[in-house]
Amino acid sequence: MYRYLVGGIAVAGLVVLGGLAWLSHNLLLAYMVALLSAALIAGMLFYRAFQKKLSSSPGMKAKSPATTTAASTREQNAMDSEVNDSQDLAELMLEQGRYALLLRPQIAASIPPQTLARAQEMLDDEMTLVPCGDTIVGKGVSDSADLPEHLDGRVVHVEGFYLDRYQVTNEQYQRFVDAGGYEQLPLWDPEIVPAILEFVDSTGIGGPRYWKNGTYPSGQAKHPVVGVCWYEAAAYARWVGKRLPTDPEWVKSGSWPVPLPGSRPIQRKFPWGEAFDQNKTNLWGSGKGGTTPVDDFADGMSVGGAYQLIGNVWEWTSSRFGAWQSSMRPLILDASMRSVRGGAFDTYFENQASCDFQSGDKAVARKRNIGFRCAIGLCDLIPDDAMQADETLDQVETYEEFAEVTQ
């Protein structure tokens, strides 16, 4: 810009000088001044056109150092802000126990490695790996002593999956409530959306039936959440990036079948073995009279390390009641009935608290003795060497070994 200012002053000076020469009748001087003025103006115009053409050429646009630095700074700040927001969100999800979401392939690509490592640690601590294999579902429900063994129950293949070590607690479900889980409609099955407003606690606030003022009873943070229907359990599972286990998955995690070549697998009646022991589970005979913390009764855990699959509270599964039954005894029931497994603190008969027994209830039932735990398939997680290695977990291979470990 200053070049044009100097040039303009020079031209103005030449014009004045030419005018004086003309008035003094010095025609030669006036003619020379006119030529210089024209040359100066032409040069200015040429320089301006050249600069304009140069600045409009691709890849040749001139930018001042200050402009370039400012643009780079803005771009870097935007990138840093995006990274920080992503990290903050990931940290919040870890605090909420939603680590399984971070380990899904669609999300893991944008998560820092150290955060993924923490999510993996939480998965290993809070869930147990159940290897793929066959399991028998519906065994012993026919009430027919003369039914051939090969018709007693149905052999179902189960893919490898992770199952919560513990039943979902009041403390964990509180995070879902506080995060507005009852207002996030995409988490809920479409058919139940009109009824969500009915899922309130004893004071009319959205939450489990037996809570008050939007929170669980004092001193029961580690107790299983109860008073939640099947739809509430399914919505929570989606929120944490998991799902409810299927009936075959639940049975396999508790009975831990032993595969036999050319024969049906052998599986336990209870997670700890074949013999009933009321000291290893919270049933009516245990005398507790209510729920206990989910990490109690460690002696009754499954081979894979899942606590209280039997007792404490019944557990919702994703299957309909009557599904996977023996084809010899078809059962036609209301489609709204969902399967529950495992017995509860008020279950009296031991045969109703085995890995084989299936009960059921209305999907909208919100009872004091029904809770749930969650699962997630290996195929839904990012590949991990530790997750994939030795999926059989050193299973015993002979009946003699099975009999020895189940005594």
Side-chain angles (χ1 to χ4, degrees), residues 170 208-211 224-228 291 313 367-371:
N170 283 312
R209 178 180 177 182
Y210 302 103
W211 287 17
V225 63
V226 296
V228 290
T291 61
V313 291
K367 295 187 175 180
R368 193 180 296 275
N369 62 353
I370 301 180

Side-chain angles (χ1 to χ4, degrees), residues 154-234:
R154 178 181 297 180
V155 177
V156 179
H157 182 77
V158 175
E159 297 295 335
F161 69 101
Y162 273 96
L163 183 73
D164 284 348
R165 292 186 185 275
Y166 313 103
Q167 295 155 343
V168 174
T169 65
N170 283 312
E171 183 179 47
Q172 291 172 319
Y173 200 85
Q174 180 78 67
R175 299 169 191 154
F176 171 67
V177 174
D178 292 344
Y182 282 77
E183 289 80 44
Q184 299 180 36
L185 300 186
L187 296 173
W188 298 78
D189 288 73
E191 69 270 17
I192 203 61
V193 168
I196 294 178
L197 294 178
E198 300 178 15
F199 298 150
V200 296
D201 64 20
S202 60
T203 56
I205 299 176
R209 178 180 177 182
Y210 302 103
W211 287 17
K212 292 182 179 180
N213 300 314
T215 190
Y216 54 83
S218 177
Q220 294 194 9
K222 300 299 183 182
H223 285 234
V225 63
V226 296
V228 290
C229 69
W230 184 90
Y231 291 105
E232 290 169 283

Side-chain angles (χ1 to χ4, degrees), residues 62-85:
K63 291 185 179 180
S64 67
T67 302
T68 303
T69 302
S72 299
T73 301
R74 287 195 298 269
E75 183 177 353
Q76 186 62 46
N77 289 341
M79 293 174 61
D80 291 344
S81 177
E82 184 176 349
V83 170
N84 290 335
D85 290 345

